[in-house]
Amino acid sequence: MTLHIDSVSKRFGQYQALDSVSLDIPKGELVALLGPSGSGKTTLLRIIAGLETPDQGRVLFDGEDATDVAPRYRQIGFVFQHYALFPHLSVFENVAFGLRVMARETRPSEEQVRQRVSEILKLVRLTNLGERFPAQLSGGQRQRVALARALVIRPRVLLLDEPFGALDVTVRTELRRWLRELQQELGLTTIFVTHDQEEASAICDRIAILNEGKLLQTGSPVDLFTAPATSFVAGFLGSANILARDSLGAGAPAGLAGAKLAFRPADGKLSPSAAAPAPGGHLRLSGTVQHREFLGSIVRYAIARPGGEVQIDAPFKAGEAFIAPGTEVAVDIPHDALISLNS
Amino acid sequence: MATKRVGDQKLVRRLLIGAVAIIAIFLIAAPLLAILSYAFAGGAGRYFESLLTEDTLHAVKLSVITALIAVPINTLFGIAAAWAIAKFDFPGRRFLTAIIELPYSISPIVAGVAYLFVFGAQGLFGPWLQANDIKIMFALPGIVLASLFVTAPFVARELIPLLEAQGREREEAGISLGASGFQTFWRISLPGMRWALLYGIILCNARVFGEFGAVSIVSGNVRGETNTLPLHVELLYQDHNSVGAFAAASVLMLIAVFTLIAKFLLERRGVRRHAEGT
Ligand SMILES: Nc1ncnc2c1ncn2[C@@H]1O[C@H](COP(=O)(O)OP(=O)(O)OP(=O)(O)O)[C@@H](O)[C@H]1O
Ligand SMILES: [Mg+2]
């Protein structure tokens, strides 16, 4: 199903939790909603699910206005940030819940329920745990029960609110890969909330970046990484050095129109400041090494300069000497590694 | 040497435990035993004979009827109040909580007198009630009302912290899975609070049976008519019928013991630790 979110706004008291957010999601696409804590990610999901009413704007499913449809009729699979499993029901009954509460005319028979739940449990690889209770499961297993429970109603849209937030890194990586395969297999239109940019980039078709209730930019992970529109996006997806254009004087390349320029720490090359002038097609910054961190495959230098500090990641080669703090250095950045930002 | 925690000295510990044990024996266990020994002072025959007198049976019946009315009403009230307070945000939430807990801090006698002022012959609605031939004071309705007042907080008090800890997510999950409000309440909310609810109901019931002060004001103490069990015990005692009084009291004691056992079993299920919140 296609999902249209049409300039949705929501206030809580004085706080503008969502500010005219619009987002279109074609059928079968997985969109990662990425943003810092408090940016309104959960609020947006809750509005789509009907658990919260927007002050303004509309939510459309397949082009049909669903803003006033009660949540129980929306047929949306919602996986909550903290699972929200039913503790007094077994795994099997948790998953069966959505079938057991259906209207009498459409409710499947006991046998159909068994069959359907077993299918779903197999899909989420929990076949043997049907008799257990949520308290007897690991975090990853609970997460999959929550997912199975949402899938059993054949949702038109799947909403996942930081599904892996509470899990450790290995389980996370495994589950997110599995989730992506499952989502593609079922062709489910899905929104996946996270504040982990790596997780977002790894599995989604598109990323939507939310900050302070505003949708800043949407695009494929590669697009957002290579062409962020604002300094917030540039800094949120990977790290970035932001330069005010004014601080560069005549050195700024003429082709880039934005008020600010950004570059990735790995794109700057360090050399002793006294060395030859900047090679052609490069922007040169000069400064003093402030600080050095050895991070394994790279060495991260913080360089103090008049227009603010920049970070440079230099590849580490065994046997090579570090540059000592206090050393005057030049940073050369190729023009094509510079990103022009609007703000 | 390892640092000592407060109360680590053996002497202090033994003294404290000993003192508490002695006090408990004198204040609680001894009177309970006294009840039994007085009740059976004239043998089992006398015991059952005085238990089965018409007035005593009537008092038991009245207490049971009162409980059968008051406990369900206060259970429903407790669920509704706890639900409203724990799951909704509205101005005056804290104030409502304080109001619900008021009966805890008011002497039951005061509550009884207040009802008298409202519903009694000289009271606010007295003339109107009399004109319409409705009897509240010195009758079952008054007894039920007083019991309701005194036991109003019991269920709500157990449920509020539990429901607050549980939050709204489970119900929201139920709704988004297609359940109606009623289905969500019946299949998710109610089972989620069942043990705490039972705990509250048991305490509420025990108090309804045991309430003396408020009921004694509004019931008028008419033997064989408006005497509940505790009032009847006092009446028998004043008649110097100690076997009768203690036999009747032993019924109350039995309820207390059942309550204690039920409480113990429920607490072992972790009701008070909000294990249902996981
Ligand atoms: N029911 C509510 N009442 C008042 N304020 C709320 C309510 N729900 C959310 N907010 C506020 O709206 C803002 C956005 O909240 P939201 O839960 O959508 O953030 P989030 O992006 O999901 O954050 P996180 O990553 O921490 O989960 C927050 O500042 C929050 O305090
Ligand atoms: Mg959230």
Side-chain angles (χ1 to χ4, degrees):
Chain A
M1 191 186 74
T2 62
L3 178 63
H4 297 278
I5 298 157
D6 183 12
S7 41
V8 161
S9 298
K10 177 77 186 174
R11 285 179 93 86
F12 292 112
Q14 284 302 302
Y15 190 80
Q16 190 77 43
L18 288 177
D19 189 357
S20 194
V21 169
S22 294
L23 183 64
D24 284 350
I25 306 177
K27 183 176 162 37
E29 195 176 78
L30 189 149
V31 169
L33 196 56
L34 185 60
S37 188
S39 54
K41 307 182 294 291
T42 300
T43 306
L44 184 57
L45 291 200
R46 290 172 59 81
I47 285 176
I48 296 170
L51 299 173
E52 209 87 66
T53 353
D55 299 334
Q56 264 142 45
R58 299 181 307 159
V59 176
L60 297 98
F61 300 154
D62 274 336
E64 249 175 71
D65 192 343
T67 320
D68 298 323
V69 176
R72 64 178 289 222
Y73 299 117
R74 292 199 184 191
Q75 212 180 341
I76 282 187
F78 200 136
V79 176
F80 289 80
Q81 208 162 351
H82 309 288
Y83 318 129
L85 296 178
F86 308 135
H88 62 286
L89 296 180
S90 66
V91 167
F92 184 94
E93 286 302 325
N94 260 279
V95 177
F97 185 88
L99 302 174
R100 299 215 188 277
V101 296
M102 287 168 91
R104 186 160 292 134
E105 311 86 66
T106 46
R107 192 187 309 155
S109 69
E110 184 61 31
E111 195 183 326
Q112 286 168 320
V113 169
R114 302 221 145 258
Q115 198 184 341
R116 178 118 183 87
V117 173
S118 310
E119 262 169 40
I120 299 268
L121 284 179
K122 195 167 148 206
L123 198 65
V124 301
R125 303 197 217 137
L126 287 173
T127 309
N128 298 319
L129 300 184
E131 302 306 312
R132 293 237 196 131
F133 284 84
Q136 302 166 320
L137 301 177
S138 73
Q141 289 167 337
R142 283 180 208 182
Q143 192 56 66
R144 281 181 284 156
V145 176
L147 188 62
R149 188 177 67 176
L151 288 176
V152 86
I153 60 167
R154 300 183 204 275
R156 304 193 288 171
V157 176
L158 186 61
L159 306 175
L160 303 151
D161 196 354
E162 300 203 33
F164 309 142
L167 307 177
D168 66 53
V169 182
T170 13
V171 183
R172 269 178 104 108
T173 320
E174 192 189 310
L175 272 182
R176 77 184 182 210
R177 230 175 263 167
W178 165 81
L179 176 75
R180 175 57 158 165
E181 281 165 22
L182 188 68
Q183 181 265 336
Q184 284 179 326
E185 196 180 309
L186 302 176
L188 258 175
T189 312
T190 303
I191 301 184
F192 180 99
V193 163
T194 172
H195 51 223
D196 178 345
Q197 53 99 4
E198 184 190 301
E199 190 163 273
S201 312
I203 62 166
C204 69
D205 298 301
R206 267 194 313 150
I207 296 182
I209 304 234
L210 204 58
N211 188 35
E212 292 179 345
K214 290 195 184 65
L215 193 64
L216 296 182
Q217 198 176 357
T218 57
S220 75
V222 174
D223 286 347
L224 288 197
F225 187 78
T226 52
T230 61
S231 49
F232 180 84
V233 176
F236 203 70
L237 277 187
S239 45
N241 294 303
I242 314 289
L243 309 168
R245 176 175 271 281
D246 313 342
S247 76
L248 300 176
L256 297 171
K260 286 179 182 169
L261 297 178
F263 68 97
R264 303 287 173 192
D267 291 331
K269 201 171 148 21
L270 289 175
S271 52
S273 63
H282 280 64
L283 171 66
R284 169 160 290 188
L285 307 173
S286 45
T288 316
V289 173
Q290 199 74 35
H291 187 74
R292 181 188 66 208
E293 283 174 348
F294 173 62
L295 299 177
S297 57
I298 58 165
V299 187
R300 178 162 296 164
Y301 293 100
I303 316 285
R305 53 179 286 277
E309 198 179 88
V310 294
Q311 246 180 37
I312 303 297
D313 290 348
F316 173 72
K317 297 184 196 77
E320 202 170 274
F322 296 135
I323 304 172
T327 313
E328 301 260 320
V329 289
V331 182
D332 292 322
I333 308 130
H335 282 170
D336 58 11
L338 287 171
I339 305 159
S340 155
L341 304 174
N342 300 326
S343 63
Chain B
M1 201 180 91
T3 47
K4 286 206 164 177
R5 287 181 305 157
V6 176
D8 249 3
Q9 285 102 326
K10 268 199 180 126
L11 187 66
V12 173
R13 200 162 60 195
R14 281 184 190 162
L15 274 177
L16 261 179
I17 295 174
V20 170
I22 288 169
I23 292 171
I25 287 170
F26 272 95
L27 286 184
I28 301 166
L32 286 182
L33 284 176
I35 291 176
L36 285 183
S37 72
Y38 275 111
F40 285 97
R46 284 270 326 265
Y47 171 78
F48 284 110
E49 197 180 298
S50 44
L51 196 59
L52 297 178
T53 59
E54 201 180 321
D55 288 350
T56 303
L57 283 181
H58 187 273
V60 172
K61 197 176 114 193
L62 187 60
S63 278
V64 169
I65 290 174
T66 307
L68 283 178
I69 301 172
V71 173
I73 291 179
N74 264 344
T75 301
L76 292 181
F77 167 76
I79 293 174
W83 191 270
I85 286 170
K87 307 243 169 180
F88 303 128
D89 277 324
F90 55 91
R93 245 176 97 233
R94 290 289 139 212
F95 182 67
L96 185 60
T97 316
I99 294 271
I100 289 171
E101 294 191 353
L102 194 66
Y104 271 148
S105 47
I106 279 189
S107 164
I109 301 266
V110 177
V113 171
Y115 275 106
L116 208 56
F117 275 124
V118 177
F119 299 112
Q122 267 79 52
L124 218 49
F125 300 124
W128 184 85
L129 288 171
Q130 244 163 7
N132 288 280
D133 207 19
I134 301 171
K135 219 167 149 37
I136 291 187
M137 281 302 115
F138 314 128
L140 184 65
I143 296 172
V144 171
L145 276 178
S147 305
L148 280 175
F149 176 87
V150 172
T151 59
F154 282 78
V155 171
R157 250 296 265 271
E158 291 307 315
L159 293 183
I160 289 170
L162 175 75
L163 295 186
E164 270 176 352
Q166 286 178 348
R168 275 175 258 194
E169 273 201 346
R170 279 184 214 161
E171 280 83 15
E172 288 176 346
I175 295 281
S176 79
L177 287 168
S180 64
F182 176 76
Q183 283 172 321
T184 308
F185 179 77
W186 191 251
R187 289 169 177 259
I188 300 170
S189 314
L190 205 55
M193 59 169 114
R194 59 194 158 176
W195 301 119
L197 184 63
L198 193 55
Y199 190 97
I201 290 175
I202 284 169
L203 293 188
C204 177
N205 181 61
R207 185 62 196 267
V208 169
F209 270 96
E211 179 52 31
F212 181 87
V215 172
S216 88
I217 301 262
V218 301
S219 87
N221 288 25
V222 183
R223 189 188 301 250
E225 270 181 46
T226 61
N227 251 1
T228 61
L229 205 42
L231 301 184
H232 188 60
V233 170
E234 201 221 22
L235 216 67
L236 290 174
Y237 187 74
Q238 280 175 356
D239 291 350
H240 303 292
N241 179 357
S242 66
V243 171
F246 284 110
S250 71
V251 177
L252 287 172
M253 196 183 107
L254 200 68
I255 292 170
V257 170
F258 269 123
T259 304
L260 208 66
I261 293 172
K263 256 183 79 173
F264 173 74
L265 291 178
L266 283 171
E267 270 163 17
R268 275 219 319 201
R269 292 206 68 117
V271 169
R272 278 283 167 122
R273 279 179 282 120
H274 304 310
E276 289 167 297
T278 49

